[in-house]
Amino acid sequence: MGVPIVLVHGLRVSGSMWRPQVDLLTEQGRRVVAPDLPGHGSRRGEDFSLGRAVDAVVEAIDGVGGRALVVGLSLGGFVSIATAAAAPGKVAGLVAASCTAKPAQALAQVYRIPAVLMDRLPDKGATLNERFHRLTLRDTAAEAVLDGGLAVEAATAVIDAVAEMDALAALERYPGPVWLVNGARDHFRLHERQFFEACAEGRLLNVPRAGHMVSLDQPVDFTRIVSDAADVVWVRENAAAREGRSLESDLKSD
């Protein structure tokens, strides 16, 4: 039913983080996929690059019919923005969550130094990361994240790759509808107004009582936003198809 949905996960985690959304959206009769990016989940050990990540999302879109609503969080948000810029004809709509900060500044300040320090630990920081998720997420959310494994070894390469991205320029190249979603307590809201202004057609939403992992902090509210976005996109897709058929009919009658 409706437009297919592709969910793109964050740094270190995998497609398993989307379990609450997959369950809720599937119950609504929607077609949903949550692929793993290179270097993460089932693809751990593969080299990460932004281009390879975009290819993974495009492959997932092609697998559900060639056009989809793309939803990404944090790293997944940046990858989704890059996908929308690279393949706008495949992205019917974009939900970019927890990623409204310029990557070069945000990643350098928030993630690079901790990633380098954790790289020096015997387990690359796996134990610390697991404890962090168990302390900060509710039980079911923590299990959803941890079940796909934590690709701590990929963090430095991912940060270096994404830090070079011009996310605002990428957003400007995408002509479709965009939903920018942040947890009200998220530190990645730094440049949300600039991201909003870069959208050809944007909406900026802040979810109360949620932090950076907004989809897990408030899974029902976040899923409702995704559902509403999918419905908007589906109505537009059908309207465009009807207009196309009407135009074709008019041309034939002439």
Side-chain angles (χ1 to χ4, degrees):
M1 181 185 98
V3 64
I5 301 170
V6 175
L7 304 170
V8 189
H9 65 79
L11 177 63
R12 301 188 185 96
V13 298
S14 71
S16 71
M17 68 158 279
W18 293 110
R19 186 177 299 153
Q21 282 67 48
V22 170
D23 290 346
L24 291 168
L25 292 168
T26 301
E27 287 175 5
Q28 296 173 13
R30 302 181 192 272
R31 189 174 185 186
V32 189
V33 295
D36 290 338
L37 296 176
H40 297 75
S42 61
R43 303 183 65 174
R44 286 180 75 172
E46 295 183 24
D47 291 335
F48 179 94
S49 73
L50 190 56
R52 291 191 187 97
V54 169
D55 288 344
V57 178
V58 169
E59 182 179 349
I61 296 171
D62 288 342
V64 294
R67 191 161 164 82
L69 174 72
V70 178
V71 181
L73 182 140
S74 193
L75 165 63
F78 291 125
V79 171
S80 297
I81 291 171
T83 303
K90 294 182 178 293
V91 179
L94 172 65
V95 179
S98 305
C99 62
T100 52
K102 297 175 185 177
Q105 297 177 32
L107 293 177
Q109 294 172 1
V110 178
Y111 284 109
R112 181 176 281 120
I113 293 174
V116 170
L117 292 175
M118 282 192 287
D119 264 347
R120 299 174 181 174
L121 298 175
D123 65 350
K124 303 292 185 182
T127 301
L128 285 176
N129 273 273
E130 180 174 344
R131 287 177 179 172
F132 172 79
H133 284 100
R134 291 194 183 281
L135 285 171
T136 58
L137 297 172
R138 64 190 74 186
D139 291 342
T140 55
E143 292 306 320
V145 168
L146 297 173
D147 279 355
L150 294 175
V152 292
E153 71 281 356
T156 302
V158 172
I159 291 166
D160 289 343
V162 178
E164 297 178 1
M165 175 186 176
D166 188 339
L168 293 178
L171 266 181
E172 289 172 352
R173 292 198 298 274
Y174 176 61
V178 179
W179 287 258
L180 300 172
V181 184
N182 289 317
R185 301 167 181 168
D186 188 9
H187 54 278
F188 259 59
R189 292 178 54 195
L190 287 172
H191 308 121
E192 62 183 15
R193 181 54 54 178
Q194 293 179 53
F195 275 68
F196 174 71
E197 291 171 353
C199 298
E201 182 188 345
R203 300 160 179 80
L204 178 59
L205 304 171
N206 288 320
V207 179
R209 301 178 303 282
H212 188 61
M213 301 293 278
V214 57
S215 63
L216 294 167
D217 290 341
Q218 297 295 336
V220 174
D221 289 346
F222 186 85
T223 303
R224 186 177 297 114
I225 292 170
V226 173
S227 298
D228 290 347
D231 288 342
V232 169
V233 169
W234 181 240
V235 169
R236 292 188 172 198
E237 296 280 283
N238 284 336
R242 286 195 299 271
E243 289 177 8
R245 288 193 295 269
S246 176
L247 178 59
E248 182 180 357
S249 177
D250 291 344
L251 290 173
K252 286 181 179 179
S253 64
D254 290 343

